[in-house]
Amino acid sequence: MKILLRRTGIVLSWLVLWQAASWLIHRPIFLVGPWETLLALIRLGGQPAFWQAVCASLTRIGTGFALAFLLGLLCGSAAYARPLLGEILSPVVTMIKTIPVASFVILALIWTGAEHLASVISFLVVFPMIYLNTRAGLEAADAKLLEMAQVFHVRLAPKIWHIYRPALAPFLLSACRIALGMSWKSGVAAEVIGTPDHSIGEKLYMAKIFFSTDELFAWTAAVIFLSFLFEKLILWFLRHVLGDAANREGQSI
């Protein structure tokens, strides 16, 4: 209860400072306060186009994240099991990790069009994080337990569940905590550039065109809330799948 009250107090303090800054500047085109943002969000929430854009962006970004998570987990595990494969994949992962997102956005617009842009960018941002942390987690497995499993000829499935899973859990959760937020930031940014129909990015772009600062802040608040909800849901699912090791790591989330 003390932690909850302290965090609530901190949030309220920042909201008060935000509102005070809005009153001090007194130019809504530059900065609106939390109250105006809330009113705009309520107004937008009453429109079917709002929920259509939310569902479309959630589907695109969620698809990109899911594909990156599954492929990153699969490729990271394969690279750990076959070091030669890891060497082959290393330049590709390094390239994906270092090339600017803006370059990928332009290429993806040419290759896939605006409709799938957010999914592609979310995938490219998330994949290296999952891949690298999967390899690191598997390499962190207890060598003595692996040696014992080899001596007693333990089958692969029990070895994965009882030795590799606990070692992988904290690495995977840590990667997801960063990747989930990054997938939303990059996905919405890609939508702003590509402006696909019925997307949050398109609405943000239109708010900028018409200088609707209250709607710009409202859509931003919606993205923050969706990202937070998406992160909590995925991490809750992972903690239940990965078991006790993930639950211990997830207590700090």
Side-chain angles (χ1 to χ4, degrees), residues 102-181:
S103 299
F104 279 130
V105 169
I106 296 170
L107 288 173
L109 271 173
I110 297 171
W111 293 340
T112 66
E115 185 65 25
H116 304 291
L117 182 61
S119 298
V120 172
I121 298 303
S122 296
F123 173 88
L124 292 172
V125 168
V126 172
F127 175 78
M129 301 182 196
I130 303 299
Y131 171 85
L132 293 172
N133 277 271
T134 297
R135 287 195 64 179
L138 294 175
E139 290 168 359
D142 194 322
K144 293 181 179 179
L145 289 177
L146 290 173
E147 184 179 353
M148 182 189 68
Q150 185 177 6
V151 169
F152 288 99
H153 303 288
V154 177
R155 289 177 300 174
L156 180 60
K159 189 190 299 185
I160 291 174
W161 186 254
H162 295 291
I163 300 177
Y164 286 116
R165 178 182 57 92
L168 179 61
F171 287 87
L172 207 54
L173 278 175
S174 179
C176 283
R177 272 187 278 181
I178 300 172
L180 285 162

Side-chain angles (χ1 to χ4, degrees), residues 34-222:
W35 178 247
E36 292 82 3
T37 301
L38 179 61
L39 291 178
L41 188 59
I42 293 173
R43 185 177 70 252
L44 290 172
Q47 301 172 8
F50 174 85
W51 298 105
Q52 189 177 13
V54 166
C55 291
S57 293
L58 180 62
T59 300
R60 295 186 184 105
I61 294 170
T63 300
F65 176 85
L67 290 175
F69 180 85
L70 294 174
L71 195 59
L73 189 62
L74 179 63
C75 290
S77 301
Y80 167 77
R82 296 289 183 269
L84 177 60
L85 178 61
E87 293 179 16
I88 294 172
L89 291 176
S90 180
V92 178
V93 175
T94 301
M95 181 188 68
I96 295 174
K97 187 174 62 172
T98 55
I99 289 180
V101 174
S103 299
F104 279 130
V105 169
I106 296 170
L107 288 173
L109 271 173
I110 297 171
W111 293 340
T112 66
E115 185 65 25
H116 304 291
L117 182 61
S119 298
V120 172
I121 298 303
S122 296
F123 173 88
L124 292 172
V125 168
V126 172
F127 175 78
M129 301 182 196
I130 303 299
Y131 171 85
L132 293 172
N133 277 271
T134 297
R135 287 195 64 179
L138 294 175
E139 290 168 359
D142 194 322
K144 293 181 179 179
L145 289 177
L146 290 173
E147 184 179 353
M148 182 189 68
Q150 185 177 6
V151 169
F152 288 99
H153 303 288
V154 177
R155 289 177 300 174
L156 180 60
K159 189 190 299 185
I160 291 174
W161 186 254
H162 295 291
I163 300 177
Y164 286 116
R165 178 182 57 92
L168 179 61
F171 287 87
L172 207 54
L173 278 175
S174 179
C176 283
R177 272 187 278 181
I178 300 172
L180 285 162
M182 291 299 297
S183 67
W184 273 94
K185 290 176 67 174
S186 60
V188 172
E191 287 184 342
V192 171
I193 297 173
T195 58
D197 294 334
H198 312 302
S199 67
I200 293 177
E202 180 198 26
K203 303 302 181 184
L204 285 168
Y205 182 79
M206 297 306 294
K208 186 217 50 163
I209 291 294
F210 292 104
F211 296 101
S212 301
T213 309
D214 57 342
E215 292 191 6
L216 180 63
F217 274 73
W219 279 109
T220 303

Side-chain angles (χ1 to χ4, degrees), residues 211-232:
F211 296 101
S212 301
T213 309
D214 57 342
E215 292 191 6
L216 180 63
F217 274 73
W219 279 109
T220 303
V223 171
I224 293 172
F225 177 75
L226 288 169
S227 176
F228 174 81
L229 192 63
F230 190 62
E231 176 184 334
K232 293 299 181 183

